Amino acid sequence: MASRKEVADLAGVSEATVSRVLNGVGPIKEETRRKVLEASEQLGYVPSALARSFARSKSGNLGVVLPYVPKAHLFSAYFFSEMLSGIGSKARDNSMDLLVMFRTPGEVMNYTDLFRRQKVDACIILGARDDHEELAAMQQLHQEGHPFCVMNQHFEGQSFTEVDADHVEGSRLAIRHLTDQGYRKIAFLNGPDSYSNSQERMEGVCLGLQEAGMELDPSLLLKGNYSRRSGIEAAAIVADRLHEIDAVFAANDRMAIGVMHGLRERGIGPADFPAFVGYDDSDAAEMAVPPLSSVRVPFFEMGELAVSKLMHGSVGDTHKANNSVVAVTESARALLPTELIIRASSIRQ
Amino acid sequence: MASRKEVADLAGVSEATVSRVLNGVGPIKEETRRKVLEASEQLGYVPSALARSFARSKSGNLGVVLPYVPKAHLFSAYFFSEMLSGIGSKARDNSMDLLVMFRTPGEVMNYTDLFRRQKVDACIILGARDDHEELAAMQQLHQEGHPFCVMNQHFEGQSFTEVDADHVEGSRLAIRHLTDQGYRKIAFLNGPDSYSNSQERMEGVCLGLQEAGMELDPSLLLKGNYSRRSGIEAAAIVADRLHEIDAVFAANDRMAIGVMHGLRERGIGPADFPAFVGYDDSDAAEMAVPPLSSVRVPFFEMGELAVSKLMHGSVGDTHKANNSVVAVTESARALLPTELIIRASSIRQ
DNA sequence: TTGTAAGCGTTATCAT
DNA sequence: ATGATAACGCTTACAA
């Protein structure tokens, strides 16, 4: 627990010089640098991040907001953990620490206070929904010029910094894969519209069908909530109409697997399964029986990209004009490519 | 961005009083309190967490160290996400923020610097292994009197604060469940010994067999590394000796599922499967085909408990004696109960 | 190239 | 019950 003063004394310099050396700023004579480094090393001096943050008015923290996952199991932990890892990896490169917060189920999250309290310098929001409160919160953030990035959710008509994957294309690929093999009666189990991702998948599905000269049969459009249970429920319909459904495309792996389970519960075995394609390519996909074809989403890379965008400061580049903060960047939405991973579940035997 | 001074002026009190009201310390006249609260509300004043931390020499952050998970897929993200949620939930109750850090694969983690830099006030370590470097790092932490808690790993002969589940009992239950149904040739696929959890499971297995008047056949003790792949590899042995193995107990769900897959790859169908019991009761267990019996571990509650122990300060209760820091608490290991969840995979037909 | 000193926005101690 | 005021440990002009 050596103090900076001790280091300064031992090195025979002023405290300011110690700081300069340790921060690598200003011109320093090589010998001084060496002396300071030695003294600091010898005394085991470690500068206080607290004092530094305070002096700089920068926390050095990157906030990450996660949806409250446990018990709910709407989504697979897989995808948040991948994104978080990507974020963590890039944050470390920028010597930022990760401040993780869980969005509380009921209450509205006050994002701006996070910044005002100076707990974070920038912030990444995962699992946001397109509802009124969420939107208002983001608009306030944007308005006040705080650097933030939304992942996996698009807010139409806003110019937020967003990182997402190309779900239109991913869904189109999935459908094309099915139609190319001659599947004609394709059921689509989508998630709630409150996620832009769901809407995009819908768009991709229509596009894919269209390219094959078909269109979506409304009676084959099923709705779930991304949980396995909702897949099991949807299986009731699939089972009833098994003769008129030859393939199922689900908006995530959990629902796809849920449908498989639901069919099994009704005594329908894999031999009589329709073709299946899921989404996310989570580890559940390869554990499924039969192994589930799925659209791969580069979650890890999306996490990295989000941090890069924040650090590069594209959104932080704001300037005051007429007393109001104006973001310089206009189109700040980045879309990473998706890819179809083909496994046994969707291959014609 | 109102300052404390403005609030003080508007309320007609001193800045110190503003602080006192907002922190709820010291005696305050009710009317003063009201005036301050009003002024503060009206101006939208938010105290700087940075300055506060600095003044108090407390970051208000709880560090959480996670193993570097992505790509590796040794463990399921499930269990870290559950623990993290439990930690987050309890941390919020104590108005602490979560600072999560990923342990870098190669390099040794310097835990003490975390404290010296004052980035965290306490810290929880997940996914630690019992190797020399890790132990040394922990000993240093302990030595310097920093409050920390190790989860899911026991360091023999140390008096670290630890939170774990009763894996001896969990494994014993799994084995008893199998022997009770008359299974006699039980293969045990364990994880690496560098995790104390593996050793405990081994102990429970021996105990369970012993209670049934049997003992572990060394040739039926298989080794994996908790990955699905290692389960697939172990399946080679199980397949070869299928006639002399009637049940498989795996140290986690991923490996159990891996064995199932390996058997399938070799043309062995569910009808010819041995009984299976996995461990963790991750969501993969209920998604497996057949649904996998598994030992449930209360990860979420473990996370909560870890935070409670740190906050309650059992480990922080150190005192200086003869110039060295001595921990007051002696036995600081908490074990939460495990429970067997029975599903189709282990039920005699 | 280096030293001096003024903040940074709180908390906490000591008066009053 | 409240007001002054000295820390807290660092960064960063400004001086030298």
Side-chain angles (χ1 to χ4, degrees), chain B residues 292-341:
Chain B
L292 180 65
S293 296
S294 189
V295 177
R296 178 175 185 277
V297 180
F299 294 115
F300 187 88
E301 291 76 9
M302 289 165 68
E304 291 185 308
L305 180 59
V307 179
S308 300
K309 295 198 99 184
L310 291 175
M311 293 311 165
H312 179 272
S314 51
V315 78
D317 288 344
T318 54
H319 63 268
K320 302 270 180 182
N322 304 329
N323 249 347
S324 75
V325 180
V326 178
V328 169
T329 332
E330 222 51 47
S331 163
R333 186 164 195 233
L335 248 57
L336 264 51
T338 46
E339 178 191 4
L340 179 64
I341 306 295

Side-chain angles (χ1 to χ4, degrees), chain B residues 14 17 20 27 29 32 54:
Chain B
S14 73
T17 300
R20 279 194 277 255
K29 205 200 296 179
T32 315
F54 175 56

